[in-house]
Amino acid sequence: MSRVSLLPLALLAGLTLPAFASAAPVDPRIDHLLTELGKVRGIHGVQLSPDGRQLAWVVDTDGEPAVMLAKANGRDAHRLNTRDAAGSCRESSIAWAPDSQHLAFLSTCASVGAGKGHPAVVVADTVGSAAPQKLAMLDGYAHALSWSPDGQALGFLYVEGATRAASAVAAAKPAAGEIGVDGLEVQRVAAVPAAGGAEEMITPASSYVYEFSWSPDSRQLAYVAAPAPGDNNWWIARLYAQEAKAGAEPRALVDTRTVAGPLHGLQMALPRWSPDGSRIVFIGGLMSDQGATGGDLYAVPSARGAVTTLTPGIKVTPVWFGWTGADRLLVAQIRNGRSEVAPYAIDATHATAQAPLFALDASLGDGTAAMGLSLSADHAKVAFAQSSYAAAPEVHAGRLGRTPPSAVTAINAALKPSWGKAESVEWDNEGRHVQGWLLYPAHYDAKKSYPMIVTVHGGPASAVLPRWPAVGFGGVPFSALDYFVFMPNPRGSYGQGEAYVQANRKDFGYGDLRDILAGVDTIEKKLPVDDKRLGLTGWSYGGFMSMFVPTQTQRFRAVVAGAGISDWQSYYGENLIDQWMIPYFGASVYDDPAVYAKSSAIHFIKQVKTPMLIVVGDRDAECPAPQSFEMWHALRTLGVPTSLVVYPNEGHHFVDPAHQRDVLQRALMWFEKYLPPGG
């Protein structure tokens, strides 16, 4: 229910959102902190040319994403000159041609022939002096540009006539007409000839495609798809292959609803062809969000056949991988709250992890997928964006080896942490090893005691990895105001293997809470945390936990619940993504209402005494606003201090900068009121 993917949500052209201002006076320290957080420039994509000599990235520039081009070492960086002299335009989705001389991207800039905010597919000659050229004009939402290996075509995901970004976390369309029938928007694979021309729809109109890849000979596509509506049906998507031409008949390779073995009923992501085209390897596992990949590696013959589990029993979570040879993979994975890059040896039946090349207390990604890496064609060089609690986002590039590549940009070099030091905390509970991240108060003094804010991540199939914060909801900024901040990865999280991810099925809010409380106890045994000043917060699944936990324990003295779920039974009929619930709850609410009631805060509401701030977007399709209204109404009726703030025209992920600032500001002020940090 909350993504960790680095993929940006492109705003649809012409979309304007009203400002949202808090009426409450603002602590000057909070105002200063928010201003500093607002200075970070996001990096949304990093791509290394196939020959390893050039580097491109997309970075926020004057408030809008722009494409930069440089040598592979970051030198001679310059902006591709497609910007308008006046007016706004956005550039995104960079992709190098196999010849390493042409860079494709999407642009809404009028200077390249885009009009009225619609995107154009643009190609720049990076070794010549000619201005970037428009290949095709689009009328809708597009992303995920990918060159065919032979360089003859550009494929991409496309929603013709789109009214919103193709994502469940984007603001939902206002409900109108016959629900589930009228106005369905279908994302398909489209292609444009490298020489230019009109786009051609490759995949059927009956299938909503989530991701795709070209076969090595450029003649076929592999893709993950399901019937519309796309926001809901990813959890039952199948793996297909077909010829890369319009009207070709798809062949279903994997249906997790019917396949036998550990993949049954789970989800799939990242289909990647073997170098000889004979099979497709993908990641399969219990995933709560499209784009938040994690699980085991599986393989299936590209012409159809049995599915093979390649990594049974591993104690890490592969998130991204790429083929680096006929018998080799490079895998980006999570282990114990850290990012790892490791080679795997692969044969017909197994993919065996080798010693990791390097591990980082950081988040990394190239913008194409969670933890994606951009490799040169010979796999000798690598590039990605990286950030941590200690360092703001930069582009890293260099040789792929035992030493992680260093930063080749200084985009955010002037930014320094205003929060305290970070450390990994590990403990054991109920036979499981658990990990989390702890931030110290910015002005820590071991002789003083401090309040602590526990931040529960979304998902629940996700993980907390060190990442530089931006303006918006999150736990890191509390450290700057002299709180301890504890960000656990309890059962249900990535990083300890698939069995750990699945350990909270039919048990939301119970086992994971015990893991979290055991972590709190571990910290309190060695650090001066005031147990009478514990706070709790989170977004999405973390918002559910923020609503549910106060019904189970009085240990937390203040709560901020973001985009939460108060009643799983009513939620089932309100949300637009109910397919995700079956793998976790085992049945629909109509077949087993008790398992949903078991984890519903509203069923234990009279146990709540904790002051609670509740925040949500009014067009949230994943955690609909009525869930927040239900919790707020109950607390208000019972006399528990509460406040509900609803943000107009926002989905599960807020996009209006004013709203991003306001929601964090309110959270900071709520805890400052009920858990003052003075020691």
Side-chain angles (χ1 to χ4, degrees), residues 222-243:
Y223 56 91
V224 177
D231 287 356
N232 192 28
N233 286 341
W234 175 75
W235 290 272
I236 57 170
R238 299 179 182 182
L239 175 62
Y240 294 90
Q242 74 165 71
E243 289 185 67

mmCIF file with all atom_site columns, all heavy atoms in Angstrom, residues 222-243:
data_model
loop_
_atom_site.group_PDB
_atom_site.id
_atom_site.type_symbol
_atom_site.label_atom_id
_atom_site.label_alt_id
_atom_site.label_comp_id
_atom_site.label_asym_id
_atom_site.label_entity_id
_atom_site.label_seq_id
_atom_site.pdbx_PDB_ins_code
_atom_site.Cartn_x
_atom_site.Cartn_y
_atom_site.Cartn_z
_atom_site.occupancy
_atom_site.B_iso_or_equiv
_atom_site.pdbx_formal_charge
_atom_site.auth_seq_id
_atom_site.auth_comp_id
_atom_site.auth_asym_id
_atom_site.auth_atom_id
_atom_site.pdbx_PDB_model_num
ATOM 1   N N   . ALA A 1 222 ? 8.271   -9.632  -23.572 1.00 0.00 ? 222 ALA A N   1
ATOM 2   C CA  . ALA A 1 222 ? 7.716   -10.287 -22.388 1.00 0.00 ? 222 ALA A CA  1
ATOM 3   C C   . ALA A 1 222 ? 7.088   -9.196  -21.540 1.00 0.00 ? 222 ALA A C   1
ATOM 4   O O   . ALA A 1 222 ? 7.643   -8.093  -21.435 1.00 0.00 ? 222 ALA A O   1
ATOM 5   C CB  . ALA A 1 222 ? 8.800   -11.008 -21.601 1.00 0.00 ? 222 ALA A CB  1
ATOM 6   N N   . TYR A 1 223 ? 5.928   -9.479  -20.954 1.00 0.00 ? 223 TYR A N   1
ATOM 7   C CA  . TYR A 1 223 ? 5.290   -8.442  -20.154 1.00 0.00 ? 223 TYR A CA  1
ATOM 8   C C   . TYR A 1 223 ? 4.364   -9.049  -19.104 1.00 0.00 ? 223 TYR A C   1
ATOM 9   O O   . TYR A 1 223 ? 3.892   -10.177 -19.221 1.00 0.00 ? 223 TYR A O   1
ATOM 10  C CB  . TYR A 1 223 ? 4.530   -7.447  -21.033 1.00 0.00 ? 223 TYR A CB  1
ATOM 11  C CG  . TYR A 1 223 ? 3.483   -8.021  -21.961 1.00 0.00 ? 223 TYR A CG  1
ATOM 12  C CD1 . TYR A 1 223 ? 2.151   -8.158  -21.559 1.00 0.00 ? 223 TYR A CD1 1
ATOM 13  C CD2 . TYR A 1 223 ? 3.813   -8.390  -23.260 1.00 0.00 ? 223 TYR A CD2 1
ATOM 14  C CE1 . TYR A 1 223 ? 1.187   -8.649  -22.426 1.00 0.00 ? 223 TYR A CE1 1
ATOM 15  C CE2 . TYR A 1 223 ? 2.861   -8.883  -24.136 1.00 0.00 ? 223 TYR A CE2 1
ATOM 16  C CZ  . TYR A 1 223 ? 1.548   -9.018  -23.712 1.00 0.00 ? 223 TYR A CZ  1
ATOM 17  O OH  . TYR A 1 223 ? 0.591   -9.506  -24.566 1.00 0.00 ? 223 TYR A OH  1
ATOM 18  N N   . VAL A 1 224 ? 4.139   -8.265  -18.063 1.00 0.00 ? 224 VAL A N   1
ATOM 19  C CA  . VAL A 1 224 ? 3.218   -8.614  -16.984 1.00 0.00 ? 224 VAL A CA  1
ATOM 20  C C   . VAL A 1 224 ? 1.946   -7.813  -17.208 1.00 0.00 ? 224 VAL A C   1
ATOM 21  O O   . VAL A 1 224 ? 1.997   -6.580  -17.320 1.00 0.00 ? 224 VAL A O   1
ATOM 22  C CB  . VAL A 1 224 ? 3.832   -8.303  -15.613 1.00 0.00 ? 224 VAL A CB  1
ATOM 23  C CG1 . VAL A 1 224 ? 2.833   -8.599  -14.500 1.00 0.00 ? 224 VAL A CG1 1
ATOM 24  C CG2 . VAL A 1 224 ? 5.113   -9.105  -15.401 1.00 0.00 ? 224 VAL A CG2 1
ATOM 25  N N   . ALA A 1 225 ? 0.801   -8.488  -17.282 1.00 0.00 ? 225 ALA A N   1
ATOM 26  C CA  . ALA A 1 225 ? -0.436  -7.793  -17.640 1.00 0.00 ? 225 ALA A CA  1
ATOM 27  C C   . ALA A 1 225 ? -1.643  -8.470  -17.016 1.00 0.00 ? 225 ALA A C   1
ATOM 28  O O   . ALA A 1 225 ? -1.601  -9.649  -16.646 1.00 0.00 ? 225 ALA A O   1
ATOM 29  C CB  . ALA A 1 225 ? -0.599  -7.740  -19.159 1.00 0.00 ? 225 ALA A CB  1
ATOM 30  N N   . ALA A 1 226 ? -2.721  -7.709  -16.940 1.00 0.00 ? 226 ALA A N   1
ATOM 31  C CA  . ALA A 1 226 ? -4.000  -8.196  -16.414 1.00 0.00 ? 226 ALA A CA  1
ATOM 32  C C   . ALA A 1 226 ? -5.109  -7.407  -17.087 1.00 0.00 ? 226 ALA A C   1
ATOM 33  O O   . ALA A 1 226 ? -4.871  -6.356  -17.688 1.00 0.00 ? 226 ALA A O   1
ATOM 34  C CB  . ALA A 1 226 ? -4.064  -8.023  -14.898 1.00 0.00 ? 226 ALA A CB  1
ATOM 35  N N   . PRO A 1 227 ? -6.347  -7.872  -16.993 1.00 0.00 ? 227 PRO A N   1
ATOM 36  C CA  . PRO A 1 227 ? -7.457  -7.059  -17.507 1.00 0.00 ? 227 PRO A CA  1
ATOM 37  C C   . PRO A 1 227 ? -7.571  -5.748  -16.726 1.00 0.00 ? 227 PRO A C   1
ATOM 38  O O   . PRO A 1 227 ? -7.163  -5.655  -15.568 1.00 0.00 ? 227 PRO A O   1
ATOM 39  C CB  . PRO A 1 227 ? -8.687  -7.946  -17.277 1.00 0.00 ? 227 PRO A CB  1
ATOM 40  C CG  . PRO A 1 227 ? -8.144  -9.329  -17.102 1.00 0.00 ? 227 PRO A CG  1
ATOM 41  C CD  . PRO A 1 227 ? -6.807  -9.171  -16.469 1.00 0.00 ? 227 PRO A CD  1
ATOM 42  N N   . ALA A 1 228 ? -8.129  -4.709  -17.358 1.00 0.00 ? 228 ALA A N   1
ATOM 43  C CA  . ALA A 1 228 ? -8.421  -3.462  -16.653 1.00 0.00 ? 228 ALA A CA  1
ATOM 44  C C   . ALA A 1 228 ? -9.522  -3.730  -15.618 1.00 0.00 ? 228 ALA A C   1
ATOM 45  O O   . ALA A 1 228 ? -10.313 -4.671  -15.781 1.00 0.00 ? 228 ALA A O   1
ATOM 46  C CB  . ALA A 1 228 ? -8.855  -2.395  -17.651 1.00 0.00 ? 228 ALA A CB  1
ATOM 47  N N   . PRO A 1 229 ? -9.591  -2.932  -14.524 1.00 0.00 ? 229 PRO A N   1
ATOM 48  C CA  . PRO A 1 229 ? -8.802  -1.743  -14.251 1.00 0.00 ? 229 PRO A CA  1
ATOM 49  C C   . PRO A 1 229 ? -7.396  -2.066  -13.732 1.00 0.00 ? 229 PRO A C   1
ATOM 50  O O   . PRO A 1 229 ? -7.206  -2.958  -12.907 1.00 0.00 ? 229 PRO A O   1
ATOM 51  C CB  . PRO A 1 229 ? -9.616  -1.020  -13.169 1.00 0.00 ? 229 PRO A CB  1
ATOM 52  C CG  . PRO A 1 229 ? -10.340 -2.127  -12.455 1.00 0.00 ? 229 PRO A CG  1
ATOM 53  C CD  . PRO A 1 229 ? -10.650 -3.146  -13.517 1.00 0.00 ? 229 PRO A CD  1
ATOM 54  N N   . GLY A 1 230 ? -6.443  -1.311  -14.229 1.00 0.00 ? 230 GLY A N   1
ATOM 55  C CA  . GLY A 1 230 ? -5.055  -1.604  -13.923 1.00 0.00 ? 230 GLY A CA  1
ATOM 56  C C   . GLY A 1 230 ? -4.665  -1.366  -12.483 1.00 0.00 ? 230 GLY A C   1
ATOM 57  O O   . GLY A 1 230 ? -3.810  -2.077  -11.949 1.00 0.00 ? 230 GLY A O   1
ATOM 58  N N   . ASP A 1 231 ? -5.265  -0.358  -11.820 1.00 0.00 ? 231 ASP A N   1
ATOM 59  C CA  . ASP A 1 231 ? -4.892  -0.092  -10.438 1.00 0.00 ? 231 ASP A CA  1
ATOM 60  C C   . ASP A 1 231 ? -5.133  -1.307  -9.551  1.00 0.00 ? 231 ASP A C   1
ATOM 61  O O   . ASP A 1 231 ? -4.407  -1.541  -8.589  1.00 0.00 ? 231 ASP A O   1
ATOM 62  C CB  . ASP A 1 231 ? -5.702  1.082   -9.885  1.00 0.00 ? 231 ASP A CB  1
ATOM 63  C CG  . ASP A 1 231 ? -5.262  2.418   -10.462 1.00 0.00 ? 231 ASP A CG  1
ATOM 64  O OD1 . ASP A 1 231 ? -4.278  2.439   -11.231 1.00 0.00 ? 231 ASP A OD1 1
ATOM 65  O OD2 . ASP A 1 231 ? -5.898  3.441   -10.147 1.00 0.00 ? 231 ASP A OD2 1
ATOM 66  N N   . ASN A 1 232 ? -6.162  -2.078  -9.872  1.00 0.00 ? 232 ASN A N   1
ATOM 67  C CA  . ASN A 1 232 ? -6.578  -3.174  -8.996  1.00 0.00 ? 232 ASN A CA  1
ATOM 68  C C   . ASN A 1 232 ? -5.980  -4.520  -9.358  1.00 0.00 ? 232 ASN A C   1
ATOM 69  O O   . ASN A 1 232 ? -5.706  -5.344  -8.485  1.00 0.00 ? 232 ASN A O   1
ATOM 70  C CB  . ASN A 1 232 ? -8.103  -3.296  -9.006  1.00 0.00 ? 232 ASN A CB  1
ATOM 71  C CG  . ASN A 1 232 ? -8.621  -4.204  -7.904  1.00 0.00 ? 232 ASN A CG  1
ATOM 72  O OD1 . ASN A 1 232 ? -8.004  -4.341  -6.855  1.00 0.00 ? 232 ASN A OD1 1
ATOM 73  N ND2 . ASN A 1 232 ? -9.744  -4.832  -8.137  1.00 0.00 ? 232 ASN A ND2 1
ATOM 74  N N   . ASN A 1 233 ? -5.759  -4.800  -10.614 1.00 0.00 ? 233 ASN A N   1
ATOM 75  C CA  . ASN A 1 233 ? -5.544  -6.185  -11.029 1.00 0.00 ? 233 ASN A CA  1
ATOM 76  C C   . ASN A 1 233 ? -4.097  -6.624  -11.143 1.00 0.00 ? 233 ASN A C   1
ATOM 77  O O   . ASN A 1 233 ? -3.826  -7.756  -11.551 1.00 0.00 ? 233 ASN A O   1
ATOM 78  C CB  . ASN A 1 233 ? -6.270  -6.443  -12.354 1.00 0.00 ? 233 ASN A CB  1
ATOM 79  C CG  . ASN A 1 233 ? -7.773  -6.542  -12.147 1.00 0.00 ? 233 ASN A CG  1
ATOM 80  O OD1 . ASN A 1 233 ? -8.247  -6.774  -11.034 1.00 0.00 ? 233 ASN A OD1 1
ATOM 81  N ND2 . ASN A 1 233 ? -8.529  -6.333  -13.204 1.00 0.00 ? 233 ASN A ND2 1
ATOM 82  N N   . TRP A 1 234 ? -3.155  -5.765  -10.782 1.00 0.00 ? 234 TRP A N   1
ATOM 83  C CA  . TRP A 1 234 ? -1.759  -6.191  -10.813 1.00 0.00 ? 234 TRP A CA  1
ATOM 84  C C   . TRP A 1 234 ? -1.519  -7.435  -9.960  1.00 0.00 ? 234 TRP A C   1
ATOM 85  O O   . TRP A 1 234 ? -0.709  -8.283  -10.288 1.00 0.00 ? 234 TRP A O   1
ATOM 86  C CB  . TRP A 1 234 ? -0.844  -5.051  -10.345 1.00 0.00 ? 234 TRP A CB  1
ATOM 87  C CG  . TRP A 1 234 ? 0.591   -5.475  -10.246 1.00 0.00 ? 234 TRP A CG  1
ATOM 88  C CD1 . TRP A 1 234 ? 1.461   -5.678  -11.284 1.00 0.00 ? 234 TRP A CD1 1
ATOM 89  C CD2 . TRP A 1 234 ? 1.315   -5.776  -9.055  1.00 0.00 ? 234 TRP A CD2 1
ATOM 90  N NE1 . TRP A 1 234 ? 2.695   -6.073  -10.806 1.00 0.00 ? 234 TRP A NE1 1
ATOM 91  C CE2 . TRP A 1 234 ? 2.626   -6.142  -9.440  1.00 0.00 ? 234 TRP A CE2 1
ATOM 92  C CE3 . TRP A 1 234 ? 0.993   -5.762  -7.698  1.00 0.00 ? 234 TRP A CE3 1
ATOM 93  C CZ2 . TRP A 1 234 ? 3.608   -6.494  -8.516  1.00 0.00 ? 234 TRP A CZ2 1
ATOM 94  C CZ3 . TRP A 1 234 ? 1.977   -6.110  -6.772  1.00 0.00 ? 234 TRP A CZ3 1
ATOM 95  C CH2 . TRP A 1 234 ? 3.258   -6.473  -7.177  1.00 0.00 ? 234 TRP A CH2 1
ATOM 96  N N   . TRP A 1 235 ? -2.250  -7.578  -8.889  1.00 0.00 ? 235 TRP A N   1
ATOM 97  C CA  . TRP A 1 235 ? -2.025  -8.697  -7.965  1.00 0.00 ? 235 TRP A CA  1
ATOM 98  C C   . TRP A 1 235 ? -2.456  -10.039 -8.559  1.00 0.00 ? 235 TRP A C   1
ATOM 99  O O   . TRP A 1 235 ? -2.133  -11.085 -8.016  1.00 0.00 ? 235 TRP A O   1
ATOM 100 C CB  . TRP A 1 235 ? -2.746  -8.429  -6.639  1.00 0.00 ? 235 TRP A CB  1
ATOM 101 C CG  . TRP A 1 235 ? -2.080  -7.320  -5.893  1.00 0.00 ? 235 TRP A CG  1
ATOM 102 C CD1 . TRP A 1 235 ? -1.047  -7.418  -5.011  1.00 0.00 ? 235 TRP A CD1 1
ATOM 103 C CD2 . TRP A 1 235 ? -2.371  -5.923  -5.994  1.00 0.00 ? 235 TRP A CD2 1
ATOM 104 N NE1 . TRP A 1 235 ? -0.672  -6.177  -4.563  1.00 0.00 ? 235 TRP A NE1 1
ATOM 105 C CE2 . TRP A 1 235 ? -1.472  -5.238  -5.144  1.00 0.00 ? 235 TRP A CE2 1
ATOM 106 C CE3 . TRP A 1 235 ? -3.296  -5.168  -6.721  1.00 0.00 ? 235 TRP A CE3 1
ATOM 107 C CZ2 . TRP A 1 235 ? -1.476  -3.857  -4.991  1.00 0.00 ? 235 TRP A CZ2 1
ATOM 108 C CZ3 . TRP A 1 235 ? -3.292  -3.789  -6.575  1.00 0.00 ? 235 TRP A CZ3 1
ATOM 109 C CH2 . TRP A 1 235 ? -2.394  -3.143  -5.719  1.00 0.00 ? 235 TRP A CH2 1
ATOM 110 N N   . ILE A 1 236 ? -3.163  -10.013 -9.673  1.00 0.00 ? 236 ILE A N   1
ATOM 111 C CA  . ILE A 1 236 ? -3.540  -11.262 -10.352 1.00 0.00 ? 236 ILE A CA  1
ATOM 112 C C   . ILE A 1 236 ? -3.001  -11.276 -11.784 1.00 0.00 ? 236 ILE A C   1
ATOM 113 O O   . ILE A 1 236 ? -3.499  -12.008 -12.638 1.00 0.00 ? 236 ILE A O   1
ATOM 114 C CB  . ILE A 1 236 ? -5.065  -11.472 -10.348 1.00 0.00 ? 236 ILE A CB  1
ATOM 115 C CG1 . ILE A 1 236 ? -5.789  -10.281 -10.995 1.00 0.00 ? 236 ILE A CG1 1
ATOM 116 C CG2 . ILE A 1 236 ? -5.569  -11.698 -8.917  1.00 0.00 ? 236 ILE A CG2 1
ATOM 117 C CD1 . ILE A 1 236 ? -7.275  -10.540 -11.237 1.00 0.00 ? 236 ILE A CD1 1
ATOM 118 N N   . ALA A 1 237 ? -1.986  -10.455 -12.036 1.00 0.00 ? 237 ALA A N   1
ATOM 119 C CA  . ALA A 1 237 ? -1.438  -10.350 -13.389 1.00 0.00 ? 237 ALA A CA  1
ATOM 120 C C   . ALA A 1 237 ? -0.724  -11.631 -13.803 1.00 0.00 ? 237 ALA A C   1
ATOM 121 O O   . ALA A 1 237 ? -0.188  -12.370 -12.971 1.00 0.00 ? 237 ALA A O   1
ATOM 122 C CB  . ALA A 1 237 ? -0.476  -9.175  -13.472 1.00 0.00 ? 237 ALA A CB  1
ATOM 123 N N   . ARG A 1 238 ? -0.715  -11.887 -15.112 1.00 0.00 ? 238 ARG A N   1
ATOM 124 C CA  . ARG A 1 238 ? -0.013  -13.032 -15.690 1.00 0.00 ? 238 ARG A CA  1
ATOM 125 C C   . ARG A 1 238 ? 1.231   -12.557 -16.431 1.00 0.00 ? 238 ARG A C   1
ATOM 126 O O   . ARG A 1 238 ? 1.347   -11.387 -16.798 1.00 0.00 ? 238 ARG A O   1
ATOM 127 C CB  . ARG A 1 238 ? -0.926  -13.767 -16.676 1.00 0.00 ? 238 ARG A CB  1
ATOM 128 C CG  . ARG A 1 238 ? -2.195  -14.326 -16.066 1.00 0.00 ? 238 ARG A CG  1
ATOM 129 C CD  . ARG A 1 238 ? -3.037  -15.007 -17.141 1.00 0.00 ? 238 ARG A CD  1
ATOM 130 N NE  . ARG A 1 238 ? -4.296  -15.529 -16.612 1.00 0.00 ? 238 ARG A NE  1
ATOM 131 C CZ  . ARG A 1 238 ? -5.185  -16.198 -17.337 1.00 0.00 ? 238 ARG A CZ  1
ATOM 132 N NH1 . ARG A 1 238 ? -4.950  -16.415 -18.627 1.00 0.00 ? 238 ARG A NH1 1
ATOM 133 N NH2 . ARG A 1 238 ? -6.300  -16.634 -16.786 1.00 0.00 ? 238 ARG A NH2 1
ATOM 134 N N   . LEU A 1 239 ? 2.136   -13.493 -16.667 1.00 0.00 ? 239 LEU A N   1
ATOM 135 C CA  . LEU A 1 239 ? 3.308   -13.231 -17.486 1.00 0.00 ? 239 LEU A CA  1
ATOM 136 C C   . LEU A 1 239 ? 3.032   -13.717 -18.903 1.00 0.00 ? 239 LEU A C   1
ATOM 137 O O   . LEU A 1 239 ? 2.620   -14.866 -19.104 1.00 0.00 ? 239 LEU A O   1
ATOM 138 C CB  . LEU A 1 239 ? 4.535   -13.946 -16.915 1.00 0.00 ? 239 LEU A CB  1
ATOM 139 C CG  . LEU A 1 239 ? 5.822   -13.850 -17.741 1.00 0.00 ? 239 LEU A CG  1
ATOM 140 C CD1 . LEU A 1 239 ? 6.275   -12.407 -17.882 1.00 0.00 ? 239 LEU A CD1 1
ATOM 141 C CD2 . LEU A 1 239 ? 6.919   -14.701 -17.105 1.00 0.00 ? 239 LEU A CD2 1
ATOM 142 N N   . TYR A 1 240 ? 3.238   -12.828 -19.880 1.00 0.00 ? 240 TYR A N   1
ATOM 143 C CA  . TYR A 1 240 ? 2.980   -13.131 -21.290 1.00 0.00 ? 240 TYR A CA  1
ATOM 144 C C   . TYR A 1 240 ? 4.240   -12.908 -22.115 1.00 0.00 ? 240 TYR A C   1
ATOM 145 O O   . TYR A 1 240 ? 5.153   -12.167 -21.731 1.00 0.00 ? 240 TYR A O   1
ATOM 146 C CB  . TYR A 1 240 ? 1.892   -12.215 -21.854 1.00 0.00 ? 240 TYR A CB  1
ATOM 147 C CG  . TYR A 1 240 ? 0.517   -12.401 -21.269 1.00 0.00 ? 240 TYR A CG  1
ATOM 148 C CD1 . TYR A 1 240 ? 0.114   -11.672 -20.155 1.00 0.00 ? 240 TYR A CD1 1
ATOM 149 C CD2 . TYR A 1 240 ? -0.389  -13.287 -21.847 1.00 0.00 ? 240 TYR A CD2 1
ATOM 150 C CE1 . TYR A 1 240 ? -1.158  -11.825 -19.624 1.00 0.00 ? 240 TYR A CE1 1
ATOM 151 C CE2 . TYR A 1 240 ? -1.666  -13.447 -21.319 1.00 0.00 ? 240 TYR A CE2 1
ATOM 152 C CZ  . TYR A 1 240 ? -2.045  -12.719 -20.208 1.00 0.00 ? 240 TYR A CZ  1
ATOM 153 O OH  . TYR A 1 240 ? -3.305  -12.867 -19.677 1.00 0.00 ? 240 TYR A OH  1
ATOM 154 N N   . ALA A 1 241 ? 4.251   -13.528 -23.307 1.00 0.00 ? 241 ALA A N   1
ATOM 155 C CA  . ALA A 1 241 ? 5.215   -13.205 -24.355 1.00 0.00 ? 241 ALA A CA  1
ATOM 156 C C   . ALA A 1 241 ? 4.455   -13.147 -25.669 1.00 0.00 ? 241 ALA A C   1
ATOM 157 O O   . ALA A 1 241 ? 3.444   -13.835 -25.847 1.00 0.00 ? 241 ALA A O   1
ATOM 158 C CB  . ALA A 1 241 ? 6.331   -14.241 -24.416 1.00 0.00 ? 241 ALA A CB  1
ATOM 159 N N   . GLN A 1 242 ? 4.928   -12.308 -26.571 1.00 0.00 ? 242 GLN A N   1
ATOM 160 C CA  . GLN A 1 242 ? 4.308   -12.226 -27.892 1.00 0.00 ? 242 GLN A CA  1
ATOM 161 C C   . GLN A 1 242 ? 5.293   -11.589 -28.871 1.00 0.00 ? 242 GLN A C   1
ATOM 162 O O   . GLN A 1 242 ? 6.281   -10.959 -28.468 1.00 0.00 ? 242 GLN A O   1
ATOM 163 C CB  . GLN A 1 242 ? 3.013   -11.412 -27.860 1.00 0.00 ? 242 GLN A CB  1
ATOM 164 C CG  . GLN A 1 242 ? 3.205   -9.913  -27.739 1.00 0.00 ? 242 GLN A CG  1
ATOM 165 C CD  . GLN A 1 242 ? 1.953   -9.116  -28.074 1.00 0.00 ? 242 GLN A CD  1
ATOM 166 O OE1 . GLN A 1 242 ? 0.990   -9.125  -27.306 1.00 0.00 ? 242 GLN A OE1 1
ATOM 167 N NE2 . GLN A 1 242 ? 1.966   -8.408  -29.197 1.00 0.00 ? 242 GLN A NE2 1
ATOM 168 N N   . GLU A 1 243 ? 5.001   -11.761 -30.142 1.00 0.00 ? 243 GLU A N   1
ATOM 169 C CA  . GLU A 1 243 ? 5.781   -11.072 -31.157 1.00 0.00 ? 243 GLU A CA  1
ATOM 170 C C   . GLU A 1 243 ? 5.614   -9.567  -30.990 1.00 0.00 ? 243 GLU A C   1
ATOM 171 O O   . GLU A 1 243 ? 4.540   -9.091  -30.622 1.00 0.00 ? 243 GLU A O   1
ATOM 172 C CB  . GLU A 1 243 ? 5.336   -11.494 -32.553 1.00 0.00 ? 243 GLU A CB  1
ATOM 173 C CG  . GLU A 1 243 ? 5.715   -12.911 -32.945 1.00 0.00 ? 243 GLU A CG  1
ATOM 174 C CD  . GLU A 1 243 ? 5.342   -13.187 -34.397 1.00 0.00 ? 243 GLU A CD  1
ATOM 175 O OE1 . GLU A 1 243 ? 5.960   -12.573 -35.297 1.00 0.00 ? 243 GLU A OE1 1
ATOM 176 O OE2 . GLU A 1 243 ? 4.419   -13.993 -34.609 1.00 0.00 ? 243 GLU A OE2 1
#
